[in-house]
Amino acid sequence: MSDVREMIRVEKLNKSFGALHVLKDIDFTVKESEVVVLIGASGSGKSTLLRCLNFLELKNDGKVIIEGKETDPKKDNLNEVRQKVGMVFQHFNLFPHKTVLENVIEAPTQVKKIKKAQAVKEAKELLAKVGLGDKADVYPSRLSGGQKQRVAIARALAMKPDIMLFDEPTSALDPELVGEVLATMKELAKEGMTMIVVTHEMGFAREVADKVVYMHDGRIVEVGEPNQLFDNPQEKRTQEFLSSIL
Amino acid sequence: MYLNIIKFGEALFESRNLFAEAAWLTLKLTAVSIFIAIFIGLFFALIKISKIKVLEWIANFYIFIVRGTPLIVQIFVFYYGLTEIAMISGFWSATLGLAFHNGAYIAEIFRGSIQSIGKGQTEAGRSLGMNRSQTMKRIILPQAFRRALPPLGNQFIIGLKDSSLAAFIGLTEIFGAATTMGANTFDYMTWLLVSAVYYLILVFLLTLVVSFIEKKMAASD
């Protein structure tokens, strides 16, 4: 197993918003094709950690190493790093003035300068894959939350990222729409995508995750395989958190 | 002085050539000045939200000057000021004065509408690898422009009516034509009302154009 490629390595990461110290000495690695689920109470820093991985938030201290290369926001071109790291947001953030298809081809045509015909072909394949092949010419306002989130996943995949970040992808959805988004994510995991998921869906974590990370108050408290962490948590705080939500 | 409908109708009809020309001048003044003002407005809106202090100050100073002084003063300053340093016509003095003036209000309209677009849109663009200017141009501005349209339409109407002040630097646009005719006939009331009819028609047409654009841009709703 040791020859599996390391996709993300975080060392001694610290992040503050003003006086608020949100991430404290985070050490964290993700290997290729691994699905890592971050859990913890709100305010524990999981979303901030995720957003540090594609530099929507910039660290104050420590190292963020993506695919073996340490990224320095001051020197490196973040736009290039971000092309390798796709992100799906809690509130979808689709572009409302563009159709579903236009949402998906926007970055490939504008950033990667792929020919439009080629981008459209790939986008249609991706939309079919997330079950929305018939919605290409519709505007996002006509879609349900679950459909929007699946378009957002297709949009991120269109850049052919090596890593996908999911920031509470089902938290804004009606309960009956959660399943379709999780199903899309499971399929992606099965294909070997490296995924880091912030979620409250413990069922998903148990079923799909290779590794579950419990965060509390800006620190990683416990890391383990799902069975071990859910059934036999070692830390008292993990036990308390799990008993409060299960 | 009483109003005679028939006499008014005759005045309106017989002066049609003069006023058609005057209305054309009003339209040119408005269209060109608003066109320039949109670019001025966009420029100052962008530097105001640039988070670069010096640029912010420059934008704030410009808006402070424009909002704090009367338009008629600005037009005269452009007229006497510009004609001293460059050979510039009355038309361009008035047009630039109006553009300078409307630009400040349009800057504030754009700034408000850009800032009303949620942060998530910028984050979505950036997370896909788009750079700052691609995100602004392709994601934020199209949405912001749509939101700006109603107040922008309002500003266009104000600009059209404010172009009447060009009469004071000798341009025979609609209001200028009315005062000239009034002085010639000693019947200001009739000619001012004639000018009002022309302004109403132009404002009405402008309203139609703006709501047409609004409807076209509402396709994504």
Side-chain angles (χ1 to χ4, degrees):
Chain A
M1 282 300 280
S2 60
D3 58 345
V4 175
R5 191 151 74 115
E6 201 170 74
M7 301 301 272
I8 293 179
R9 168 175 284 274
V10 171
E11 288 175 10
K12 292 266 168 287
L13 178 70
N14 278 279
K15 171 71 185 173
S16 300
F17 293 112
L20 192 66
H21 198 172
V22 208
L23 294 177
K24 299 165 187 166
D25 290 334
I26 300 282
D27 289 307
F28 174 70
T29 58
V30 182
K31 295 203 181 83
E32 188 162 23
S33 294
E34 222 175 11
V35 177
V36 176
V37 169
L38 303 180
I39 61 170
S42 61
S44 59
K46 11 182 234 313
S47 284
T48 306
L49 173 55
L50 202 68
R51 291 161 60 84
C52 282
L53 301 180
N54 72 344
F55 307 95
L56 283 184
E57 303 292 351
L58 301 180
K59 60 171 190 178
N60 295 109
D61 202 13
K63 286 183 183 173
V64 179
I65 300 160
I66 307 287
E67 295 183 24
K69 189 175 173 300
E70 185 181 351
T71 302
D72 179 354
K74 288 192 192 78
K75 283 188 297 190
D76 298 315
N77 184 348
L78 295 181
N79 302 322
E80 276 170 26
V81 185
R82 287 185 181 126
Q83 291 178 41
K84 295 187 211 153
V85 187
M87 187 170 211
V88 172
F89 299 86
Q90 180 178 1
H91 296 288
F92 331 127
N93 297 348
L94 293 182
F95 306 134
H97 60 302
K98 294 181 181 293
T99 64
V100 165
L101 186 72
E102 288 166 348
N103 265 274
V104 180
I105 66 170
E106 177 68 18
T109 53
Q110 296 300 316
V111 179
K112 284 194 170 167
K113 312 287 182 199
I114 288 172
K115 290 237 164 56
K116 194 174 168 201
Q118 176 66 20
V120 167
K121 186 172 155 274
E122 291 177 10
K124 286 192 167 159
E125 285 166 12
L126 280 170
L127 287 171
K129 190 174 141 187
V130 299
L132 294 170
D134 56 335
K135 300 285 186 197
D137 299 321
V138 166
Y139 283 97
S141 59
R142 296 292 170 89
L143 301 178
S144 71
Q147 291 172 328
K148 282 182 193 166
Q149 197 59 299
R150 285 185 282 151
V151 172
I153 292 172
R155 180 177 69 177
L157 290 176
M159 288 301 281
K160 300 195 172 78
D162 300 330
I163 302 161
M164 284 281 282
L165 310 176
F166 293 85
D167 190 4
E168 304 204 23
T170 58
S171 297
L173 297 176
D174 291 336
E176 76 272 20
L177 301 175
V178 169
E180 60 190 67
V181 172
L182 292 182
T184 305
M185 291 167 63
K186 278 178 205 164
E187 203 176 311
L188 207 55
K190 221 183 288 168
E191 289 169 11
M193 176 61 79
T194 308
M195 293 164 61
I196 304 166
V197 185
V198 172
T199 188
H200 299 291
E201 295 292 331
M202 297 303 153
F204 175 83
R206 197 183 266 277
E207 191 183 336
V208 184
D210 297 301
K211 201 157 89 180
V212 180
V213 175
Y214 171 63
M215 288 183 71
H216 178 79
D217 195 24
R219 290 182 199 281
I220 292 179
V221 175
E222 187 165 353
V223 181
E225 289 180 9
N227 289 340
Q228 182 257 310
L229 192 127
F230 285 121
D231 300 332
N232 189 20
Q234 301 299 305
E235 299 286 330
K236 190 156 172 298
R237 272 200 298 251
T238 316
Q239 291 162 11
E240 284 167 3
F241 173 73
L242 289 172
S243 63
S244 73
I245 56 158
L246 292 177
Chain B
M1 197 202 293
Y2 68 101
L3 250 185
N4 182 322
I5 298 286
I6 300 194
K7 199 176 132 226
F8 178 73
E10 277 174 7
L12 195 58
F13 182 74
E14 278 162 12
S15 65
R16 63 189 184 280
N17 288 336
L18 171 69
F19 274 91
E21 224 171 281
W24 177 236
L25 183 55
T26 292
L27 263 184
K28 273 197 294 189
L29 275 170
T30 309
V32 179
S33 65
I34 291 287
F35 183 77
I36 299 170
I38 286 174
F39 288 97
I40 296 176
L42 189 58
F43 175 74
F44 281 100
L46 289 175
I47 71 169
K48 203 170 163 174
I49 58 171
S50 66
K51 293 190 181 129
I52 300 169
K53 275 275 165 285
V54 184
L55 296 179
E56 257 176 79
W57 288 335
I58 293 171
N60 284 335
F61 183 70
Y62 163 62
I63 292 164
F64 171 73
I65 294 295
V66 169
R67 284 207 291 215
T69 58
L71 173 55
I72 187 72
V73 173
Q74 294 164 14
I75 288 177
F76 271 112
V77 166
F78 267 80
Y79 183 57
Y80 290 117
L82 283 181
T83 43
E84 241 174 54
I85 44 177
M87 290 293 284
I88 191 169
S89 64
F91 173 80
W92 281 104
S93 307
T95 300
L96 293 177
L98 283 164
F100 172 77
H101 180 81
N102 283 304
Y105 290 94
I106 291 175
E108 286 294 66
I109 291 172
F110 278 144
R111 180 182 64 86
S113 66
I114 290 169
Q115 287 178 336
S116 78
I117 306 297
K119 206 169 124 242
Q121 290 291 309
T122 305
E123 289 184 350
R126 300 307 301 276
S127 78
L128 288 164
M130 298 173 80
N131 62 34
R132 201 181 291 272
S133 73
Q134 283 172 327
T135 308
M136 182 53 81
K137 212 167 75 190
R138 303 202 38 102
I139 307 302
I140 305 302
L141 286 182
Q143 297 181 61
F145 185 71
R146 218 194 115 190
R147 269 188 214 179
L149 257 182
L152 218 46
N154 209 30
Q155 191 61 39
F156 294 168
I157 289 170
I158 293 170
L160 193 154
K161 294 191 290 184
D162 280 352
S163 71
S164 57
L165 292 172
F168 291 99
I169 58 171
L171 294 187
T172 315
E173 45 63 70
I174 297 172
F175 181 69
T179 48
T180 307
M181 289 304 285
N184 291 346
T185 59
F186 303 105
D187 181 8
Y188 277 99
M189 187 54 109
T190 299
W191 295 106
L192 288 174
L193 288 175
V194 168
S195 79
V197 170
Y198 280 91
Y199 280 114
L200 276 171
I201 294 170
L202 289 185
V203 169
F204 176 68
L205 293 176
L206 187 55
T207 314
L208 286 185
V209 171
V210 171
S211 66
F212 174 75
I213 299 172
E214 266 182 57
K215 281 211 190 81
K216 270 208 113 165
M217 294 190 84
S220 59
D221 280 341

